[in-house]
Amino acid sequence: QAKAAGRGTVRFFRSDMEAVIAARAALEADLRDGLAQRQFLLHYQPQIDEHGAVFGVEALVRWQHPQRGMVPPGSFIGLAEVSGLIEPLGLWILRSACEQIAAWRDDPQRAHLLVAVNISARQLHHPEFVQQVATVLAETGADPQRLELELTESHLVEDVEGATAKMHSLKARGVRLSLDDFGTGYSSLNYLKRLPLDQLKIDQSFVRDLLLDANDLSIVKAIVDMGRNLKLNVLAEGVETQAQLDMLRQAGCKRYQGYLFCHPVPVDQLPTTYTPHPPHSELTA
Ligand code: C2E
Ligand code: MG
Ligand code: MG
Ligand code: MG
């Protein structure tokens, strides 16, 4: 009996695996078509400074599929990476973001905005990556100083020397660099201090439980201190509540991004400033 059930389980498992593989193949084919048919678009999420001003926006890719609907990046970026499609997709994302920078050049409300672009490890490790960035900047006419590339600690694991060298040459071209999801990966302080970074982004997992978990508060404070010592800006991601914002302020964090302020939105819905939920004293003053 057990044996029969076992065999059945194996057979079920195998067809299950086949289904997964078929679904992945279908998704990959759809991704390829989606690129050709321009089904991708960028949404932007504001980044807010301590005064409530929007100083930057993060570009977040969206896939508007005719049947699947709006597919979130978490469901396709991984597959785009393993299939290699991240290279053309990533280039499209970079170009769109740079076109946006160029389009804002004469807009007094938006010309100052930084535009942050997520770069996958596979893109960074492409031998031509720095040249690709330079070409896109030149072709779009975007000011390199307005472009910020978001990397993660995982970019550095594979080839620290190579990644560091590329970061230096991007920096030399005026591009800003930010370390995304900071705290979740493997960070040696020793190489952190040698990277030409402008900003650390505290991962949203530390912000989520800030009020519940004293460890998370300690981690946030440690990252803020580290940023101060290394002369880096520190931005907290995933800020959803006023209470989290208050805690972050108390911990010395001065830059924020999250649903409390604004969800990622199409470019024409971007606010230029955010009127913070004022502290109580300001409400009554
Ligand atoms: P990420 O770069 O860390 O982006 C932050 C994610 O958190 C975004 O999810 C954003 O919509 C979400 N988020 C923002 N505020 C809040 C909040 O207050 N609460 C919560 N719970 N979430 C919030 P999204 O757009 O689904 O992107 C997920 C991940 O996919 C990104 O994480 C990034 O790793 C990747 N990704 C997104 N766009 C791109 C892209 O253009 N290129 C590459 N290579 N990766 C991308
Ligand atoms: Mg990011
Ligand atoms: Mg992040
Ligand atoms: Mg993330």
Side-chain angles (χ1 to χ4, degrees), residues 45 58-62 72-74 77 86 93 118-120 123 150 180-181 204 237-240 258-259 264:
Q45 186 177 35
E58 179 175 4
L60 293 157
V61 70
R62 299 290 180 261
I77 289 289
I86 195 67
I93 291 165
N118 292 283
I119 299 298
S120 86
Q123 281 178 279
E150 292 196 0
D180 202 357
D181 303 343
Q204 54 190 57
E237 288 193 271
V239 184
E240 293 184 357
Y259 298 161

Side-chain angles (χ1 to χ4, degrees), residues 41-43 45-46 58-62 71-78 81 86 89-90 92-94 116-121 123 150 152 155 180-181 201 203-204 207-208 237-241 244 257-264:
L41 65 153
L42 296 183
H43 280 183
Q45 186 177 35
E58 179 175 4
L60 293 157
V61 70
R62 299 290 180 261
V71 188
S75 328
F76 65 86
I77 289 289
E81 278 169 359
I86 195 67
L89 177 60
W92 178 85
I93 291 165
L94 184 66
V117 177
N118 292 283
I119 299 298
S120 86
Q123 281 178 279
E150 292 196 0
T152 66
H155 286 70
D180 202 357
D181 303 343
K201 294 186 81 174
D203 189 66
Q204 54 190 57
V207 176
R208 193 191 310 125
E237 288 193 271
V239 184
E240 293 184 357
T241 68
Q244 288 168 340
Q257 184 179 343
Y259 298 161
L260 174 65
F261 302 94
C262 190
H263 281 252

